[in-house]
Amino acid sequence: MPKWFNTAGPCKPDIHYMLSATERLPEIKQLIAQENYFVIHAPRQVGKTTAMLTLAQELTASGQYTAVMLSLEVGAAFSDDLGAAELAILGEWKQSIRFRLPKDLQPQEWLDSEAGARIGTSLSNWAEQSSRPLVVFLDEIDALSDETLISVLRQIRSGFPNRPQGFPQSVALVGMRDVRDYKYASGGSDRLNTSSPFNIKVRSFTLSNFTLEDVRKLYQQHTDATGQVFTPEAVDLAFHLTQGQPWLVNAIAKEIVEYITKDPAIPITPELVNEAKEILIKRQDTHLDSLAERLREDRVRAIIQPILSGQELVNMPEDDLRFVLDLGLCSRDSRGGIQIANPIYREIIPKVLASITIASLTSIDPTWLDNDGNLNPQALLDSFILFWRQHGEPLFGSTPYPEIAPHIVLMAFLHRVVNGGGTLEREYAIGSGRMDICLRYGKVTLAMELKVWADKRPDPLKEGLPQIDKYLSGLSLDTGWLVIFDRRSGLPPLSDRTTTENVISPTGREIIVIRG
């Protein structure tokens, strides 16, 4: 039977290329043997459910345990009705157990109990009946909230001392977040801010992204099955673009082998990987869309906004940093700093933030193209200045991140430019004081650097010229734009203060300085 790269739901070993769950989570078997309860948290679509399903099957097949993965998600619809939530959850469990375990390992009967005790009673009753120690992975725990969440956690904690004869030997809570970030509206907060309702956990850990070697192994499975080769350079580029994020790793490969080039005789090269990347960014599939929704949350905005503008993080709660890391939007760099998790997210995030503004620009004619459809840099500059003077300030209000509204409006304009067949690449980082943008359209490559002039700060021109020099040098370009957004108080309207001038950089490059 042929196998495929999977981007929708848990992987199935008989039809999907996949990596070993135990290799990705080597510590779990020891934790289970020690009768521990623990938490596994990781962003969506990194393989949590696949890993737990597979591991449960392996543990059960060993003959040592009865292991199963069960979901709590159906209880999310009943956050204000604990009894209804428990009944929905148990109904889901009965169905899943019937399909995932052999009949002799299933509960022989299900005891009923009063609301607030049904989950604990069912687990206790099953553990007593079971001929083997019971291991349960509870998926989507953080889909629950408020009193339903607290009750489920307390029922598990209450049964913990009775393990393994009277309660599961090991329970894992599986979700996107750690316990302290579970949703609970109380005392002015929207999360627990404590692990106390589940203080029996021995540890909390995350399911990591794929390593470069993991990506090689996964792609090699396709080569072994079809003969289609991923060149080493293509694998390296796929890992660089995704940083091993499992959904992205699979999505790039799936786009190439199922749509771009179905002929297994054609080797997969970096050019094909880049083509697939651009398709994913433009299409913005469900995985990318769900991440984008998070960008409007206040504690996410407080971190992403300074990253985009190259500013420092100020007075940032550690919980907020941990939250964006748990979501998978950001990661730690080699020095412990925070950064956007991978180059694909780095492209998606500004595009999403500019989406409403982009939708407002469809009526702008592409006057930057000549009669042959080639990009004319001077015509682009003229079009941008006209656009900026007429529409810049009114469009600032269409952006969800007001402090970097000029960045977003400029990017929206550039997306309108490349929509006809070009690409945009961005570089930005905490504390860099800038955002670099590279626009490629046909044979033209245009680089620009964006900086902000804030109150009580010096003119960024002196700092910006050597910075753009370095950026242009890396692109082998002799000219570029330095865009300075003047955000000081008490200035005249944008239409009156937008100017351009040509300046020579320290290394002799011609820089067009745009102020507005």
Side-chain angles (χ1 to χ4, degrees):
M1 179 182 293
K3 290 189 175 184
W4 314 94
F5 290 102
N6 182 34
T7 58
C11 291
K12 301 179 70 173
D14 56 331
I15 61 171
H16 295 137
Y17 302 124
M18 57 185 291
L19 299 175
S20 165
T22 50
E23 287 182 14
R24 295 190 69 196
L25 294 163
E27 303 164 76
I28 282 190
K29 287 188 176 180
Q30 181 173 314
L31 291 174
I32 292 170
Q34 295 172 347
E35 301 183 5
N36 285 317
Y37 284 25
F38 51 95
V39 173
I40 299 172
H41 62 94
R44 288 206 180 280
Q45 295 182 302
V46 300
K48 297 187 301 295
T49 303
T50 294
M52 296 303 99
L53 283 169
T54 306
L55 183 58
Q57 291 167 357
E58 290 179 10
L59 292 169
T60 299
S62 74
Q64 189 174 357
Y65 303 104
T66 295
V68 67
M69 192 207 74
L70 302 170
S71 176
L72 295 161
E73 187 174 17
V74 293
F78 307 98
S79 60
D80 297 324
D81 189 340
L82 174 59
E86 288 180 315
L87 292 174
I89 289 167
L90 290 174
E92 163 71 19
W93 286 11
K94 291 172 186 178
Q95 282 285 91
S96 296
I97 289 168
R98 198 156 59 88
F99 284 102
R100 292 174 184 169
L101 288 173
K103 194 167 182 60
D104 61 314
L105 297 180
Q106 298 173 19
Q108 300 309 303
E109 61 176 336
W110 292 82
L111 297 182
D112 196 14
S113 186
E114 67 276 7
R118 291 185 178 119
I119 301 296
T121 297
S122 296
L123 290 174
S124 176
N125 179 51
W126 187 12
E128 287 185 69
Q129 296 177 39
S130 179
S131 58
R132 306 177 186 176
L134 186 60
V135 177
V136 180
F137 301 106
L138 293 179
D139 199 18
E140 301 288 353
I141 176 67
D142 47 359
L144 302 181
S145 60
D146 301 336
E147 297 306 325
T148 299
L149 169 66
I150 294 296
S151 177
V152 169
L153 292 176
R154 286 178 174 161
Q155 288 179 64
I156 296 170
R157 184 176 66 181
S158 178
F160 174 76
N162 302 325
R163 74 197 193 290
Q165 292 83 11
F167 214 67
Q169 170 167 319
S170 189
V171 170
L173 302 184
V174 185
M176 283 181 63
R177 312 174 199 174
D178 202 355
V179 175
R180 64 186 297 116
D181 279 318
Y182 292 170
K183 290 172 287 189
Y184 181 66
S186 175
S189 176
D190 62 355
R191 55 193 191 278
L192 286 176
N193 289 317
T194 175
S195 299
S196 62
F198 197 66
N199 58 9
I200 51 175
K201 70 169 186 176
V202 68
R203 66 168 300 192
S204 177
F205 56 97
T206 189
L207 187 65
S208 300
N209 284 341
F210 293 160
T211 64
L212 175 58
E213 185 57 32
D214 288 336
V215 177
R216 287 196 186 106
K217 287 180 180 178
L218 186 71
Y219 287 179
Q220 185 62 40
Q221 291 178 29
H222 175 75
T223 300
D224 293 342
T226 67
Q228 188 170 35
V229 174
F230 285 81
T231 67
E233 295 80 11
V235 177
D236 289 346
L237 179 59
F239 178 74
H240 165 71
L241 293 173
T242 64
Q243 291 298 295
Q245 204 288 330
W247 186 91
L248 292 175
V249 169
N250 277 277
I252 280 180
K254 186 179 185 71
E255 191 66 34
I256 295 170
V257 304
E258 293 185 31
Y259 302 101
I260 297 176
T261 174
K262 297 181 180 181
D263 185 352
I266 298 174
I268 295 166
T269 61
E271 290 74 23
L272 293 176
V273 172
N274 270 322
E275 185 178 346
K277 181 246 320 185
E278 290 299 325
I279 291 171
L280 293 182
I281 290 172
K282 288 177 182 176
R283 197 168 62 210
Q284 205 170 308
D285 287 338
T286 304
H287 166 82
L288 301 172
D289 217 27
S290 63
L291 279 179
E293 286 183 22
R294 297 285 186 177
L295 295 174
R296 297 181 182 274
E297 295 187 22
D298 289 342
R299 56 181 172 156
V300 174
R301 181 190 293 114
I303 293 173
I304 299 299
Q305 190 162 252
I307 291 178
L308 288 171
S309 60
Q311 305 304 308
E312 302 284 352
L313 292 178
V314 180
N315 298 325
M316 187 58 55
E318 180 62 30
D319 280 355
D320 290 356
L321 286 174
R322 185 168 54 244
F323 182 64
V324 295
L325 293 169
D326 287 349
L327 287 177
L329 273 171
C330 295
S331 63
R332 296 281 189 184
D333 62 24
S334 58
R335 295 170 295 180
I338 195 163
Q339 62 184 359
I340 302 300
N342 58 65
I344 291 179
Y345 289 180
R346 200 179 300 143
E347 293 299 310
I348 283 286
I349 288 171
K351 183 183 177 187
V352 167
L353 293 175
S355 60
I356 295 175
T357 314
I358 292 170
S360 306
L361 306 184
T362 53
S363 61
I364 296 179
D365 293 326
T367 56
W368 47 83
L369 299 179
D370 64 22
N371 293 333
D372 296 321
N374 299 313
L375 180 69
N376 182 319
Q378 182 59 50
L380 177 62
L381 176 63
D382 295 340
S383 296
F384 172 68
I385 296 300
L386 180 63
F387 159 80
W388 196 251
R389 286 172 174 156
Q390 291 181 348
H391 306 291
E393 212 148 32
L395 286 172
F396 288 174
S398 69
T399 67
Y401 284 21
E403 290 186 20
I404 57 168
H407 297 69
I408 294 173
V409 173
L410 170 57
M411 286 187 287
F413 176 83
L414 296 177
H415 273 291
R416 174 69 183 91
V417 173
V418 302
N419 194 43
T423 61
L424 280 181
E425 300 163 13
R426 304 166 186 83
E427 293 182 16
Y428 48 87
I430 284 284
S432 67
R434 67 188 190 275
M435 174 189 282
D436 296 327
I437 298 179
C438 180
L439 183 154
R440 301 180 191 273
Y441 197 106
K443 296 180 180 180
V444 175
T445 299
L446 175 62
M448 60 190 73
E449 182 167 293
L450 316 184
K451 295 185 73 68
V452 175
W453 191 353
D455 281 323
K456 300 179 181 179
R457 301 290 296 175
D459 186 342
L461 178 64
K462 184 177 179 180
E463 179 185 55
L465 287 173
Q467 288 176 339
I468 193 170
D469 244 344
K470 184 177 179 181
Y471 186 47
L472 293 172
S473 175
L475 295 169
S476 300
L477 296 175
D478 295 324
T479 185
W481 294 6
L482 175 58
V483 183
I484 297 175
F485 299 126
D486 197 338
R487 303 287 277 168
R488 293 174 298 162
S489 307
L491 295 173
L494 193 63
S495 57
D496 295 339
R497 70 174 192 266
T498 299
T499 63
T500 66
E501 63 175 321
N502 285 32
V503 176
I504 302 302
S505 74
T507 60
R509 290 184 172 86
E510 184 177 355
I511 308 301
I512 300 171
V513 178
I514 303 169
R515 296 178 182 270

